[in-house]
Amino acid sequence: GYGLRLFPKSLFLLIDFHADGLKITLFTPEEFSVNAGGVYSRVLGKAPDNTGGAMMDGWIMQDIMDRNRMDETDSRVARIPPLTRHEAPRIREALALNTEAEVRVTDPVSGFSLTAQVSRSDLCRIFEERGLFVAMNRAMDRALSVAGIREREEERIIAVLMVGEYSAIPCI
C-alpha cells in the first residue's frame, strides 16, 4: 500500500490512468472492523474521461513525426506509425527514470530511419497542447461536484493516489 493512516471522514482522491481512459474517484474510509478484515471505503464521487494512455501515446508519436516534418502523403510515413506503437511505451518508461529518451524506427521497405530525442519537457508541452491537464481538471471537478465537495472543502483531501499503467508518466 501507500502507508497511509486511514481516519473516518478523511478524503482520498484516486486517479486511475489506463490505456482507455482516466477515472477519478473520491472516497472516504467508512468503517473500521478488525473482525470484518479491516477498513471499508465509501465512494463519494466518480468521474471518467476518455483521455487515456493510448491516446497520449499517439500524441507523442505524432509530435515526433511533426517535428521531423514527415508529410502524410509520403509512403514512408504510412509505414512508420505501426512501427512506433512499441516505441511509445518504451519512451514513457525511459522518461519515468531519465530526462530524455531516444526514438529509433526504421522502415524495412525503404530503409528510411526516424531518429528523435524526446524529453520530459516535450511530454509536458505535448500534453498541455492537447488539453490533457484541462481534461484531468474537469474530471476532478466533476468527481468533487458529484460528492458535494466545495472549493474550501478540498483541503480535506489528505492524499492523491495514482494507479494504472500511465500514472508514472512525468508531468502527470
Side-chain angles (χ1 to χ4, degrees):
Y2 288 88
L4 297 170
R5 298 194 56 184
L6 304 176
F7 300 101
K9 304 209 189 232
S10 56
L11 298 177
F12 294 87
L13 192 66
L14 177 69
I15 300 174
D16 181 3
F17 235 127
H18 47 90
D20 296 332
L22 160 73
K23 184 171 31 174
I24 308 285
T25 305
L26 184 71
F27 67 95
T28 185
E30 189 66 18
E31 181 180 318
F32 294 85
S33 172
V34 176
N35 295 335
V39 179
Y40 294 90
S41 296
R42 181 166 52 104
V43 173
L44 302 174
K46 278 200 263 189
D49 189 273
N50 66 354
T51 306
M55 186 180 294
M56 293 162 46
D57 286 349
W59 296 341
I60 294 166
M61 299 319 298
Q62 184 62 52
D63 184 76
I64 290 168
M65 291 173 60
D66 290 348
R67 284 190 289 143
N68 282 276
R69 294 180 179 86
M70 296 182 72
D71 185 357
E72 292 180 17
T73 61
D74 186 333
S75 61
R76 297 173 301 180
V77 173
R79 290 187 298 266
I80 291 290
L83 301 173
T84 63
R85 285 194 189 113
H86 300 290
E87 283 296 293
R90 193 187 61 73
I91 292 167
R92 282 189 282 103
E93 290 169 14
L95 290 176
L97 302 172
N98 304 301
T99 57
E100 287 197 344
E102 185 175 75
V103 176
R104 285 182 187 265
V105 180
T106 302
D107 174 9
V109 176
S110 68
F112 172 76
S113 182
L114 170 65
T115 303
Q117 290 293 119
V118 180
S119 68
R120 286 181 177 175
S121 60
D122 288 330
L123 283 187
C124 294
R125 174 188 52 76
I126 293 165
F127 296 158
E128 179 71 33
E129 288 173 358
R130 297 294 186 138
L132 174 64
F133 305 122
V134 171
M136 288 179 71
N137 284 330
R138 271 193 307 236
M140 281 189 262
D141 289 345
R142 284 193 318 271
L144 293 171
S145 177
V146 167
I149 303 296
R150 298 182 211 353
E151 258 183 59
R152 283 182 248 130
E153 292 179 305
E154 290 177 1
E155 296 169 358
R156 289 181 38 215
I157 298 172
I158 63 169
V160 176
L161 311 173
M162 298 187 68
V163 299
E165 177 184 359
Y166 292 84
S167 64
I169 298 174
C171 300
I172 302 287

